[in-house]
Amino acid sequence: MKKRPVVLFFAGCVSGMAAVWNEEIPAAVFYCLGGVIFWGRQILRDRRYLIGLLGMAIGMLLLFAQRHTAEQEIRMVEKKAPKEISGVVLKSSQTERSMAYLIQCQGWDGKLLLYDTSNAKVRTGDWIQAETKVEIQEKAGNPGQFSARNYYFARGIYYRGFAERIYVKGYRKNPLENVLEKSREWMKDQIQEQYSKEEAGLIQGMLLGDKSLMEEEQKDDFKESGLIHLLAVSGLHISLAGRSIYRILRRIGAGFLLSSAAGFFTALYYGMLTGGSVSSIRAVLMLGIYFLSQVLGKNYDLLSSASLAGSLILIRNPLYFGDTGFLLSFCAVIIIGCIGQETGKKKKVWGKVLSRIVFPLKLQMGMLPLMIYLQYETPVFSFLANAAAVPAASVGFAMALAFVWLPPLFLHRWIQAFFWAVLKISQIKYGMITIGQVPLWWVAAGYIVFYLAGKKKVKMPFSVRVGVIYMGILCMTAVPVMRRKTIAFLDVGQGDCMMAETAGGMILADGGSSSVKKTGRYRMLPYLKSRGKQKIKIAVISHMDEDHYSGILELLEMGRIEYLGLPDVPRDTAYESVKTAAEKAGTVIFLLAEGKVIKGADFYLKVLHPPAGSSLEKNAASLVLQGNINGKRILLTGDVEKEGEKELLRKGLKQADILKVAHHGSKNSTSEEFLSLVKPVHAVISCGKENRYGHPHKEVTERILKYNSRIHRTDKEGAVIFW
């Protein structure tokens, strides 16, 4: 490694950024000291490792500088609070319910993503003026939740807005972008004409990186089988396109320079055509280095090439370090560079089959620590899926790209068969293991264990080596085993959701939102996985309002809930839809009413309200649960209002450590009389940011503060978690 200075620099740069990525000072100090000690020890052995320490310092400075610049501009924009923006449309795309325009605003470094539902005729290259409230990209409000801020900041998109009016002021012609846009649309039309809908969605995803035709269930299948990388235009696709042109030209007698130039510009154009993802940029840079080595007659080193590409990307934009695509893409390439692929004598059939399985197994093992850190789980046997699907996908991809210009022919039926096979392989279950959220040192420990276990020559006594491996595995195992139980009130926008870990599994009380779409998939499920769980043991719905059941309905449809408690009240359409989804998923349903009890080894919840068959209005008839979870006295009140609360006062209310404030802090709930009985230590208000109802109402917060309760708000704090 010390003979590869570019690799050392990139490793140092990554270690420096990793050390300071977490903005918590104690963690940053810990990882910085760890990095300095590591590189210092290496320098004592060989001074060439100074390049690694230099890379670490540069990485830290680059990240600090980029963050500082971004924060300065954001503060300036927040201070001005513009109600109107003007700029050039760089890109446009269709979302589920609107058009999204990427705008480079005049005088801003950061770009703005503008959503519009007015059907205004806006083209790429238009100079527009729009009336909109400018917002900063959101941070993740819950553990495990996708961070829009990290994702968009890495792409230089700091702001978002929802257009009230758009005015087109002029047009700046961009011939290249026009050609790219027309090419994309033409290819989409061709793909949808050549193939059936199911396969067309996969082909469009692989060829263009556009997954809009794919169902969410299909995407889940690819993720749970470990084949999600096939749905992104990756280095495999870019390299295949560029190298194919190179090889064809070489075979017909073209020189190295012409063949390399044609191959590189083909890859560059294809990368731009598919949106220029970080994995595409990495592949184009690496392919350019490969072609340069061919022209100069030099040996090509995969690790040095990847490290140079990674260093250039991070120097250009250090915030790419927080991008999942960047981390997984470079991790995969570096592991391939380390383990290599067997070459030499021709193998027999069984030898080829075995190597097809062993290589993805090694790759999966090498990526395991990072995968767990980023996604909390991994399919155990995904190497089998990759061994079967990647060859079929590669052949199908090459043929689909080569014949995309043809009208629909019998040939496309053959190509479709390859993608049909990939879809079927993705639908098989490969044994998902969910570890949950782990610290960065867990990843480092994993790679140390793999290094010591796989490296034949290590300068340490065998007994010490075995001891370090054993201790590393023990420490890694201890993280999920010793994880403390939590009670969490998730940020679901305008809605309610409480998740509590118990000895018997995860308990869920309400889960829905009227302001956040797909809250079950994108907020509740990620939190569940971050806690090392795959399913909800018991879910309870207090009443049938969307902001209390929509996320639970999603989890039911995904088969993620074992038992479901429903209120024993007159049924409506929403009640029947939830009941039908539960029955289809095989979830056991039980009814709850006054006097019923849910209990386990370390929790006890009694239903105080309403009585069975209650005729009260929906909110007033909300289930109210009182009890103890993990040693904390808790009171969950749903949306109970005046009429229901009056009945509740006569039913044995007790003092609570944690009160979930009723109806998102509405003034019609949480009366003085109620608070005088409950006297909560902590009062949690679950509501959406700047919601149209004005929740929580000032009268309620003032009443709660009279009892010296500490108020927690999900719209201000994000998830409220008690340990």
Side-chain angles (χ1 to χ4, degrees):
M1 195 63 68
K2 60 190 175 185
K3 295 180 180 180
R4 293 178 168 123
V6 179
V7 176
L8 286 178
F9 179 83
F10 181 59
C13 193
V14 167
S15 67
M17 291 184 175
V20 298
W21 182 259
N22 190 324
E23 295 180 5
E24 295 178 8
I25 293 176
V29 170
F30 172 79
Y31 290 121
C32 283
L33 285 174
V36 170
I37 291 169
F38 171 79
W39 289 111
R41 183 177 179 278
Q42 298 300 107
I43 291 166
L44 291 175
R45 293 169 53 193
D46 193 311
R47 289 186 179 180
R48 282 176 285 188
Y49 283 100
L50 275 166
I51 297 172
L53 187 59
L54 175 64
M56 181 178 174
I58 290 174
M60 292 168 66
L61 289 172
L62 284 172
L63 188 56
F64 271 129
Q66 184 65 35
R67 275 182 171 166
H68 179 69
T69 302
E71 286 168 3
Q72 273 192 321
E73 181 178 292
I74 288 168
R75 281 196 294 269
M76 180 269 292
V77 172
E78 286 181 322
K79 187 176 180 180
K80 288 185 177 179
K83 299 291 179 63
E84 191 174 85
I85 60 98
S86 61
V88 178
V89 178
L90 303 178
K91 191 182 294 185
S92 63
S93 59
Q94 179 74 53
T95 68
E96 189 177 345
R97 295 189 298 172
S98 66
M99 286 297 296
Y101 302 112
L102 183 61
I103 313 293
Q104 182 63 71
C105 296
Q106 195 172 15
W108 296 359
D109 288 332
K111 302 178 188 70
L112 178 138
L113 197 58
L114 184 68
Y115 297 95
D116 176 51
T117 56
S118 68
N119 296 319
K121 294 182 179 179
V122 177
R123 301 169 296 172
T124 300
D126 279 347
W127 181 271
I128 67 164
Q129 187 173 323
E131 294 178 14
T132 181
K133 180 183 177 183
V134 177
E135 301 174 353
I136 311 304
Q137 294 290 353
E138 283 187 318
K139 291 182 179 179
N142 306 291
Q145 182 183 331
F146 167 77
S147 175
R149 178 166 292 197
N150 285 351
Y151 177 82
Y152 286 114
F153 272 36
R155 288 152 181 78
I157 306 170
Y158 299 167
Y159 316 103
R160 67 174 187 174
F162 299 87
E164 295 176 12
R165 290 183 184 82
I166 293 181
Y167 309 95
V168 178
K169 297 294 184 180
Y171 179 68
R172 291 187 177 182
K173 191 173 182 180
N174 187 333
L176 177 59
E177 186 55 47
N178 286 339
V179 170
L180 289 170
E181 195 167 344
K182 288 178 181 178
S183 298
R184 286 188 207 103
E185 293 305 316
W186 177 81
M187 286 184 71
K188 286 181 187 178
D189 292 340
Q190 285 289 100
I191 290 167
Q192 291 170 32
E193 190 178 347
Q194 291 166 345
Y195 306 100
S196 63
K197 184 179 179 181
E198 191 174 22
E199 284 78 15
L202 174 57
I203 295 168
Q204 188 170 294
M206 287 189 64
L207 263 64
L208 295 172
D210 183 347
K211 300 182 279 292
S212 58
L213 291 181
M214 296 189 71
E215 301 290 336
E216 291 294 343
E217 290 74 15
Q218 286 181 311
K219 296 176 190 175
D220 287 343
D221 287 340
F222 275 82
K223 187 174 181 180
E224 292 179 8
S225 61
L227 297 174
I228 192 68
H229 59 92
L230 294 180
L231 299 185
V233 178
S234 65
L236 174 67
H237 307 133
I238 300 291
S239 298
L240 191 59
R243 291 194 188 214
S244 296
I245 297 297
Y246 171 80
R247 287 168 183 160
I248 290 170
L249 291 175
R250 287 292 297 141
R251 284 177 182 174
I252 62 175
F256 279 114
L257 185 59
L258 177 61
S259 303
S260 297
F264 175 74
F265 284 108
T266 298
L268 179 62
Y269 181 80
Y270 184 55
M272 294 170 66
L273 180 71
T274 55
S277 67
V278 68
S279 58
S280 299
I281 297 169
R282 189 260 310 156
V284 170
L285 288 173
M286 290 181 64
L287 198 60
I289 296 167
Y290 169 77
F291 287 141
L292 184 62
S293 71
Q294 296 299 297
V295 171
L296 298 176
K298 303 290 184 181
N299 290 328
Y300 175 73
D301 181 63
L302 182 66
L303 286 176
S304 296
S305 174
S307 297
L308 179 57
S311 299
L312 292 173
I313 290 170
L314 289 179
I315 289 169
R316 175 67 181 84
N317 183 3
L319 294 178
Y320 257 126
F321 178 77
D323 184 70
T324 300
F326 173 88
L327 295 172
L328 291 176
S329 178
F330 277 94
C331 181
V333 172
I334 289 168
I335 289 166
I336 290 170
C338 290
I339 63 176
Q341 284 183 290
E342 293 182 23
T343 56
K345 295 181 180 179
K346 290 185 177 180
K347 298 178 182 178
K348 295 181 180 179
V349 175
W350 285 111
K352 291 180 179 179
V353 171
L354 185 62
S355 65
R356 285 283 186 187
I357 295 173
V358 170
F359 181 75
L361 174 59
K362 288 180 179 179
L363 183 59
Q364 180 183 340
M365 291 298 293
M367 295 193 69
L368 180 66
L370 185 62
M371 286 288 288
I372 295 296
Y373 180 74
L374 295 173
Q375 300 181 1
Y376 314 129
E377 62 181 8
T378 187
V380 179
F381 299 106
S382 66
F383 66 93
L384 295 175
N386 277 279
V390 169
S394 298
V395 173
F397 170 84
M399 294 177 69
L401 188 61
F403 299 111
V404 71
W405 54 276
L406 292 174
L409 300 170
F410 68 92
L411 177 66
H412 293 103
R413 302 280 76 80
W414 295 353
I415 299 171
Q416 184 170 296
F418 286 101
F419 292 101
W420 175 87
V422 173
L423 285 169
K424 293 303 175 187
I425 293 167
S426 74
Q427 292 167 7
I428 300 170
K429 301 299 179 185
Y430 295 94
M432 186 68 73
I433 179 172
T434 305
I435 302 296
Q437 198 166 33
V438 295
L440 187 59
W441 66 258
W442 193 94
V443 180
Y447 284 116
I448 290 170
V449 167
F450 286 151
Y451 174 78
L452 293 176
K455 191 76 172 176
K456 293 179 180 178
K457 294 181 179 180
V458 179
K459 293 182 179 180
M460 64 171 61
F462 179 75
S463 58
V464 175
R465 177 177 176 176
V466 172
V468 172
I469 292 172
Y470 176 78
M471 287 303 297
I473 294 172
L474 191 64
C475 289
M476 292 173 71
T477 306
V479 169
V481 171
M482 299 179 69
R483 189 177 283 129
R484 294 169 63 190
K485 296 187 181 74
T486 62
I487 300 172
F489 295 84
L490 301 188
D491 172 19
V492 291
Q494 186 66 13
D496 267 4
C497 180
M498 188 282 291
M499 283 197 191
E501 293 168 83
T502 70
M506 189 73 81
I507 297 173
L508 171 62
D510 282 336
S513 177
S514 59
S515 64
V516 176
K517 299 301 179 186
K518 298 183 179 178
T519 189
R521 180 179 295 276
Y522 296 124
R523 300 209 178 188
M524 295 163 64
L525 184 58
Y527 177 77
L528 183 69
K529 291 180 178 180
S530 77
R531 302 307 299 171
K533 310 291 184 185
Q534 293 184 3
K535 288 190 174 185
I536 299 289
K537 189 69 176 180
I538 301 172
V540 174
I541 299 176
S542 65
H543 65 294
M544 291 300 163
D545 273 349
E546 181 188 23
D547 59 338
H548 290 257
Y549 78 82
S550 62
I552 289 178
L553 179 58
E554 291 177 61
L555 295 183
L556 284 170
E557 291 169 345
M558 288 186 270
R560 297 279 182 173
I561 298 175
E562 295 183 38
Y563 296 89
L564 177 65
L566 297 176
D568 190 0
V569 295
R571 302 177 181 184
D572 58 10
T573 305
Y575 195 112
E576 292 299 335
S577 66
V578 169
K579 183 173 177 289
T580 300
E583 289 171 347
K584 188 176 179 181
T587 300
V588 178
I589 298 172
F590 60 96
L591 299 180
L592 291 170
E594 183 181 339
K596 294 289 181 72
V597 173
I598 310 169
K599 63 180 179 179
D602 54 356
F603 77 95
Y604 173 94
L605 290 171
K606 183 178 180 179
V607 181
L608 297 184
H609 174 79
S614 173
S615 59
L616 289 171
E617 183 270 332
K618 189 184 289 185
N619 282 351
S622 289
L623 285 174
V624 176
L625 305 174
Q626 178 178 264
N628 190 297
I629 301 177
N630 300 330
K632 289 184 172 59
R633 294 168 295 181
I634 191 166
L635 180 60
L636 306 172
T637 55
D639 275 357
V640 70
E641 289 188 314
K642 279 183 179 178
E643 191 179 355
E645 196 172 281
K646 285 179 181 177
E647 287 193 14
L648 189 60
L649 293 173
R650 300 189 294 270
K651 295 177 181 178
L653 284 173
K654 297 177 182 177
Q655 195 272 328
D657 296 320
I658 304 169
L659 166 68
K660 199 292 294 182
V661 177
H663 204 187
H664 323 291
S666 167
K667 61 185 176 183
N668 296 322
S669 298
T670 322
S671 65
E672 288 273 6
E673 193 177 356
F674 174 85
L675 287 167
S676 68
L677 292 173
V678 178
K679 296 175 183 172
V681 178
H682 299 276
V684 180
I685 301 174
S686 181
C687 59
K689 292 179 180 177
E690 300 176 1
N691 63 85
R692 60 193 177 96
Y693 308 101
H695 293 155
H697 292 144
K698 186 178 179 182
E699 302 96 306
V700 174
T701 56
E702 287 177 349
R703 286 200 293 265
I704 294 171
L705 290 172
K706 284 181 184 179
Y707 290 86
N708 298 317
S709 300
R710 182 178 176 187
I711 295 176
H712 305 269
R713 293 173 50 171
T714 58
D715 62 328
K716 301 286 187 183
E717 303 174 33
V720 178
I721 301 176
F722 299 94
W723 303 87

